[in-house]
Amino acid sequence: MKLIDAIFLSAQMPEDSVICARAPFHQSSEAMIVQFADDFSIPPHVTQEGYAYFLETDGVTELLEMISQKRSSRETKAEFVCYYASWDAYPAFYNDLEDAATPTE
């Protein structure tokens, strides 16, 4: 599957799931969602196939909730998550995005 698809499936995955992807991380990178091994490591067959740790699905869900407060496309949301996974920081473009409309009372 593509990383963009794994990102948006993350909320539906069981607890202790992790996304692994082929670097460099981009929304079109090949990815898979796996369970941690008993010792909380990535299963060896996954790394042997060239996949690296991306993020835990719970972390992806939190990032998507954060960016959902901004007006952004599906692709922008995926790039936001990819940037965070690569650099452990929020991208500068996050501050340039408009806030999502809030309902008026």
Side-chain angles (χ1 to χ4, degrees), residues 63 66 80 83-84 88-94:
L63 289 166
M66 180 180 175
F80 175 78
Y83 188 95
Y84 185 87
D88 195 25
Y90 303 118
F93 72 77
Y94 177 77

Side-chain angles (χ1 to χ4, degrees), residues 2 5 10 14 30 37 39 45 50 60 62 64 68-69 75 81-82 87 89 95 99 102-103 105:
K2 297 295 181 192
D5 298 321
S10 61
E30 289 296 318
D39 64 353
H45 75 275
V60 172
E62 288 176 20
L64 289 174
S68 71
Q69 299 170 15
E75 291 77 14
V81 175
C82 289
W87 303 103
N95 294 319
D99 289 337
T102 54
E105 296 183 28

Side-chain angles (χ1 to χ4, degrees), residues 22-42:
R22 290 201 168 110
F25 300 140
H26 184 269
Q27 57 187 315
S28 63
S29 300
E30 289 296 318
M32 62 172 61
I33 300 174
V34 298
Q35 295 292 120
F36 278 123
D38 291 336
D39 64 353
F40 294 100
S41 66
I42 303 298

Side-chain angles (χ1 to χ4, degrees), residues 38-87:
D38 291 336
D39 64 353
F40 294 100
S41 66
I42 303 298
H45 75 275
V46 175
T47 55
Q48 290 168 356
E49 291 179 35
Y51 291 88
Y53 173 86
F54 178 73
L55 287 171
E56 294 173 43
T57 54
D58 291 346
V60 172
T61 301
E62 288 176 20
L63 289 166
L64 289 174
E65 288 172 1
M66 180 180 175
I67 196 164
S68 71
Q69 299 170 15
K70 300 284 189 173
R71 290 184 189 204
S72 56
S73 67
R74 185 174 191 258
E75 291 77 14
T76 300
K77 289 174 178 150
E79 283 304 311
F80 175 78
V81 175
C82 289
Y83 188 95
Y84 185 87
S86 297
W87 303 103

